[in-house]
């Protein structure tokens, strides 16, 4: 399946909206609405983390290398099968640790409070979805033949897609990930993230 590099995230969310949410819900023992609430905060957080990490030359090179080595997009050939099998939690946990760094527990805790979903389930859902996001980026990079500069431009395009659906969500996540303060903007972020996710699901 060819993926439009201008809307990688929207294409992936379209697949999740087509039944993936139900598979995640079945795997973690939640209602689909609960999973959607978790994804409303989790997806923008992961994308903000990727964008932040790729801002430096070393970070961008590291992301490009990871996509080339481990995320060629083949995971998207059977999204329902991947999710129905519970995902690859070890791979997802490694991605989250790298992308969110020391803020991972803060993000998971805040998403848990805002969604009303147990933090253990939040962590599992995020770990299930993270390899899909990386796979979507890796597939677009491979199909379009992007070098590091092209990858940076693609991430910029994804940020613009997110901003069109929810102008403040990515900015607020980026501030949370970069901040050393104790503030918790997650309540507002998750509300805006739900608008972002809803717009992407409709694509």
């Amino acid at each position: 399946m060819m993926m439009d590099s201008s809307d990688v995230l929207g294409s992936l969310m379209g697949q999740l909206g087509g039944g993936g949410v139900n598979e995640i819900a079945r795997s973690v023992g939640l209602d689909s609405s609960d999973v959607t609430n978790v994804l409303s905060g989790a997806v923008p957080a992961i994308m903000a983390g990727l964008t932040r990490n790729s801002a430096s030359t070393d970070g961008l090179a590291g992301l490009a290398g990871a996509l080339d080595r481990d995320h060629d997009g083949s995971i998207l050939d059977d999204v329902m099968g991947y999710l129905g099998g519970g995902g690859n939690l070890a791979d997802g946990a490694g991605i989250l640790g790298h992308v969110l760094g020391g803020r991972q527990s803060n993000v998971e805790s805040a998403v848990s409070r805002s969604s009303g979903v147990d933090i253990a389930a939040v962590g599992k859902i995020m770990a299930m979805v993270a390899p899909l996001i990386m796979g979507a980026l890796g597939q677009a990079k491979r199909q379009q033949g992007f070098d590091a500069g092209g990858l940076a431009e693609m991430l910029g395009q994804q940020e613009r897609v997110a901003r069109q659906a929810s102008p403040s969500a990515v900015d607020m996540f980026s501030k949370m990930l970069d901040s050393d303060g104790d503030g918790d903007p997650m309540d507002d972020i998750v509300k805006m993230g739900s608008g972002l996710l809803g717009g992407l699901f409709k694509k």
Side-chain angles (χ1 to χ4, degrees):
M1 179 185 65
M2 291 293 291
M3 182 173 290
D4 179 1
S5 65
S6 69
D7 194 8
V8 174
L9 190 57
S11 298
L12 175 59
M13 292 301 102
Q15 292 191 61
L16 290 179
V21 168
N22 292 334
E23 290 293 344
I24 296 173
R26 193 157 32 242
S27 178
V28 298
L30 294 172
D31 292 335
S32 296
S33 59
D34 290 329
V35 172
T36 299
N37 287 338
V38 172
L39 292 177
S40 329
V43 173
I46 293 170
M47 290 303 299
L50 285 167
T51 302
R52 180 194 63 166
N53 291 346
S54 65
S56 69
T57 301
D58 288 345
L60 183 60
L63 175 59
L67 294 178
D68 290 339
R69 287 191 311 272
D70 304 318
H71 304 285
D72 62 0
S74 58
I75 191 173
L76 302 179
D77 293 340
D78 186 12
V79 172
M80 296 303 106
Y82 165 80
L83 294 174
N88 186 335
L89 299 184
D91 185 28
I95 293 169
L96 293 174
H98 181 74
V99 170
L100 301 178
R103 291 288 175 178
Q104 180 179 346
S105 61
N106 290 353
V107 171
E108 291 177 351
S109 177
V111 172
S112 173
R113 290 195 302 274
S114 297
S115 65
V117 174
D118 178 79
I119 191 170
V122 167
K124 186 175 181 180
I125 292 168
M126 291 180 67
M128 290 176 72
V129 173
L132 292 175
I133 293 174
M134 291 291 284
L137 294 174
Q139 183 184 76
K141 181 180 183 298
R142 176 174 56 83
Q143 290 178 344
Q144 302 297 327
F146 289 145
D147 57 11
L151 176 60
E153 175 59 25
M154 180 172 67
L155 286 171
Q157 289 174 339
Q158 301 321 298
E159 186 176 14
R160 288 191 287 275
V161 168
R163 288 180 192 281
Q164 287 175 0
S166 183
S168 301
V170 174
D171 278 344
M172 292 184 68
F173 260 122
S174 296
K175 289 176 182 177
M176 179 182 184
L177 291 169
D178 290 335
S179 174
D180 292 326
D182 296 327
D184 183 7
M186 282 297 298
D187 289 341
D188 290 335
I189 290 171
V190 170
K191 288 177 184 176
M192 287 183 289
S194 64
L196 165 63
L197 211 65
L200 294 174
F201 277 152
K202 294 175 184 175
K203 290 183 179 293

